[in-house]
């Protein structure tokens, strides 16, 4: 397509803007309501706070790990509205009023391990354990979206999580056993 | 600075404009925050952070007769799963599906990918080859729509001034089936990889679907901005689909690398890598296999 011959499209017209009042919070803290593992938490966060540090330090949910703090390792994976995210790359104030699930919220109601967690143990998919909460949450999120994933879909779903011990094979096998149930 | 600092969470475009009015300091718009959090680590934050994820229309994809309208805060996951984008704008759907990991794609947005303007930004070559136009809200409240090349102007550089905001991406629709696009990339890993090289192509076929009428081919991570490769396009334009077309196309891709990064340490790698990417690209476009040319072009 040559320059100057771009297709004409129906784009918004330039228009005047009426003054309005915007909800704003002081720079120091922002009140938020976090719905974590079915419990409501009313807390104040700073605008630069990462969701991972708020969950760990303010709410004591230390299952998730802050490994790389740049979205590489996946150890901080939690579900935000049932979708896996790197909690280290989510601003805590943006999680206001959203549903958050951490690894502490995956177990069965009676406190026993979920089938997915049990499969990790049965398959030897846990060694040092540092990556495990993130792996479990990435797999849990995958299975919520796609209950019968293929092996390649499992590998793709876990691609954002690094493990330095087990070599991934046992982790993929653990997820497969649950996917095949 | 007037003390109106902190965070704003506007719900309308009018509220966005009102939030910035009269503020002297630095303004940062944030959607998925996947880039912002890393960029701001250890340095002072902007005076005002404006979360645009709740602005009406910013999370939606609307398909109308002439174009697809994508809100700036639409996530990579939404783009890669969208039915019409997946059938008519395959280059964009594939590029979005190749960004980072599931976790990143659930947060990262199309507006952020453009505003960051990084050479390896996966959506950028796709948007360029699809003829995207970018809707911008200037800080004074005026709306403007610009072509892709007028928005992404350098490595990490855009036409956006402090307080200007990308609101919308418009993709022109053309006759389905005859307009085909594709995207390929390569990097150190299969998943969660920053592209060493990416190529997007968009072609229009003749009514019999056996000849290419028109083509746009754009490389990512080869230059500070997505690089439109006119000589590569010429090897596709007005040609019958077949091995001779593939031979000329792949040869021209290597030559385009030689011309873009002569003497760079990555030149020997990229001029070969782009041949493999080119084969994958042709396979996506034409849904058939092609052979690797027996004679490789030598570095210029």
């Amino acid at each position: 397509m040559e320059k100057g011959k771009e297709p004409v499209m129906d784009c918004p017209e330039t228009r005047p803007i009426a003054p309005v009042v915007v909800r704003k919070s002081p720079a120091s803290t922002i009140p938020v309501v976090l719905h974590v593992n079915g419990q409501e938490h009313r807390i104040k966060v700073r605008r630069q706070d990462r969701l991972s540090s708020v969950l760990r330090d303010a709410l004591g949910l230390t299952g998730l790990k802050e490994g790389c703090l740049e979205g590489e390792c996946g150890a901080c994976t939690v579900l935000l509205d049932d979708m896996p995210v790197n909690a280290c790359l989510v601003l805590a104030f943006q999680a206001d009023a959203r549903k958050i699930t951490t690894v502490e919220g995956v177990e069965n109601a009676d406190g026993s391990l979920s089938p997915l967690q049990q499969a990790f143990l049965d398959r030897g998919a846990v060694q040092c354990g540092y990556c495990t909460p993130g792996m479990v949450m990435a797999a849990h999120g995958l299975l919520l979206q796609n209950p019968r994933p293929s092996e390649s879909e499992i590998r793709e779903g876990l691609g954002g999580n690094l493990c330095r011990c087990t070599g991934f094979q046992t982790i993929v096998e653990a997820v497969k056993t649950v996917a095949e149930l | 600075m007037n003390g109106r600092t902190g965070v704003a969470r506007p719900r309308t475009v009018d509220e966005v404009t009102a939030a910035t009015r009269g503020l002297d300091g630095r303004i940062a718009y944030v959607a998925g925050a996947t880039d912002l959090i890393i960029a701001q680590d250890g340095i002072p934050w902007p005076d005002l952070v404006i979360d645009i994820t709740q602005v009406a229309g910013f999370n939606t994809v609307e398909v109308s007769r002439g174009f697809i309208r994508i809100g700036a805060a639409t996530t990579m996951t939404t783009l890669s799963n969208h039915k019409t984008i997946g059938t008519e704008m395959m280059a964009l759907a594939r590029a979005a599906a190749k960004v980072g990991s599931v976790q990143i794609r659930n947060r990262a947005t199309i507006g952020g990918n453009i505003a960051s303007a990084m050479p390896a930004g996966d959506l950028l070559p796709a948007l360029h080859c699809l003829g995207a136009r970018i809707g911008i809200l200037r800080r004074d409240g005026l709306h403007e729509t610009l072509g892709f090349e007028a928005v992404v102007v350098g490595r990490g550089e855009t036409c956006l001034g402090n307080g200007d905001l990308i609101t919308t991406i418009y993709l022109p629709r053309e006759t389905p089936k005859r307009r085909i696009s594709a995207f390929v990339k390569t990097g150190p890993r299969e998943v969660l990889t920053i592209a060493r090289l990416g190529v997007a192509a968009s072609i229009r076929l003749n009514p019999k679907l056996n000849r290419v009428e028109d083509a746009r081919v754009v490389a990512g991570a080869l230059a500070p901005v997505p690089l439109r490769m006119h000589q590569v396009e010429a090897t596709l334009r007005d040609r019958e689909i077949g091995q001779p077309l593939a031979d000329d196309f792949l040869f021209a891709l290597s030559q385009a690398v030689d011309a873009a990064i002569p003497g760079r340490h990555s030149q020997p790698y990229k001029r070969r890598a782009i041949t493999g990417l080119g084969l994958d690209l042709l396979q996506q476009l034409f849904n058939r296999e092609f052979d690797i040319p027996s004679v490789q072009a030598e570095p210029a």
Side-chain angles (χ1 to χ4, degrees), chain A residues 78-133:
Chain A
V78 300
L79 304 189
L80 191 63
D81 292 337
D82 291 337
M83 310 266 270
V85 298
N86 298 119
C88 76
L89 292 188
V90 176
L91 290 172
F93 80 80
Q94 289 189 301
D96 183 31
R98 310 276 297 270
K99 175 187 171 190
I100 300 159
T101 311
T102 71
V103 72
E104 290 86 350
V106 173
E107 63 191 21
N108 295 324
D110 64 1
S112 60
L113 294 179
S114 72
L116 177 64
Q117 290 172 309
Q118 189 61 48
F120 267 66
L121 289 187
D122 295 344
R123 289 278 165 171
V126 180
Q127 201 162 319
C128 88
Y130 191 88
C131 75
T132 310

Side-chain angles (χ1 to χ4, degrees), chain A residues 1-3 6-7 9-27 30 47-50 69-74 77-78 80 83-91 93-96 98 134 138 155-162, chain B residues 4-11 13-15 17-19 21 30-34 36-38 41 45-49 51 53 66-67 77 97 101-107 131 133 137 140-143 145 149 170-172 174 189 191-192 214-216 228:
Chain A
M1 198 178 302
E2 290 172 39
K3 223 172 177 182
E6 305 284 353
M9 287 184 287
D10 180 20
C11 299
E13 296 293 320
T14 299
R15 58 195 169 85
I17 300 295
V20 288
V21 178
V22 174
R23 288 170 291 282
K24 223 184 296 279
S25 309
I30 306 153
R47 60 184 184 156
Q48 71 270 29
D49 285 340
R50 300 169 190 247
L69 291 175
E70 54 185 31
E72 280 285 331
C73 76
T77 301
V78 300
L80 191 63
M83 310 266 270
V85 298
N86 298 119
C88 76
L89 292 188
V90 176
L91 290 172
F93 80 80
Q94 289 189 301
D96 183 31
R98 310 276 297 270
R155 288 183 180 275
E156 173 72 28
L158 298 180
N161 295 71
L162 295 179
Chain B
R4 289 194 342 174
T5 56
V7 167
R9 307 197 76 190
R11 290 181 182 273
V13 168
D14 291 356
E15 290 184 357
T17 303
R21 190 169 293 145
V30 61
T34 50
L36 180 91
I37 290 177
I38 296 170
D41 197 27
W45 272 52
D47 300 285
L48 179 62
V49 174
D51 175 12
T53 57
F67 59 93
T77 299
S101 59
V102 174
Q103 290 94 322
I104 301 280
R105 292 194 290 276
N106 283 338
R107 295 294 297 167
R133 294 182 61 81
L137 174 69
D140 59 10
L142 297 181
H143 289 273
T145 306
E149 283 170 292
Y170 300 95
L171 297 173
E174 291 183 48
R189 279 181 70 198
V191 187
L192 200 65
D214 194 18
R216 286 174 77 136
R228 189 153 171 210

Side-chain angles (χ1 to χ4, degrees), chain B residues 102-122:
Chain B
V102 174
Q103 290 94 322
I104 301 280
R105 292 194 290 276
N106 283 338
R107 295 294 297 167
T109 64
I110 185 170
N113 206 243
I114 299 168
S116 292
M118 294 318 289
D122 285 320

Side-chain angles (χ1 to χ4, degrees), chain B residues 92-175:
Chain B
L92 182 62
R94 290 213 186 229
K98 286 288 181 186
V99 170
S101 59
V102 174
Q103 290 94 322
I104 301 280
R105 292 194 290 276
N106 283 338
R107 295 294 297 167
T109 64
I110 185 170
N113 206 243
I114 299 168
S116 292
M118 294 318 289
D122 285 320
L123 301 196
L124 305 186
L127 290 169
H128 192 3
C129 86
L130 292 169
R133 294 182 61 81
I134 318 287
I136 291 167
L137 174 69
R138 295 292 184 188
R139 187 172 173 177
D140 59 10
L142 297 181
H143 289 273
E144 198 174 347
T145 306
L146 297 173
F148 179 84
E149 283 170 292
V151 177
V152 176
V153 296
R155 184 191 180 90
E157 284 178 45
T158 64
C159 70
L160 301 169
N162 187 32
D164 293 345
L165 172 66
I166 294 171
T167 61
T168 320
I169 292 82
Y170 300 95
L171 297 173
R173 295 178 74 195
E174 291 183 48
T175 325

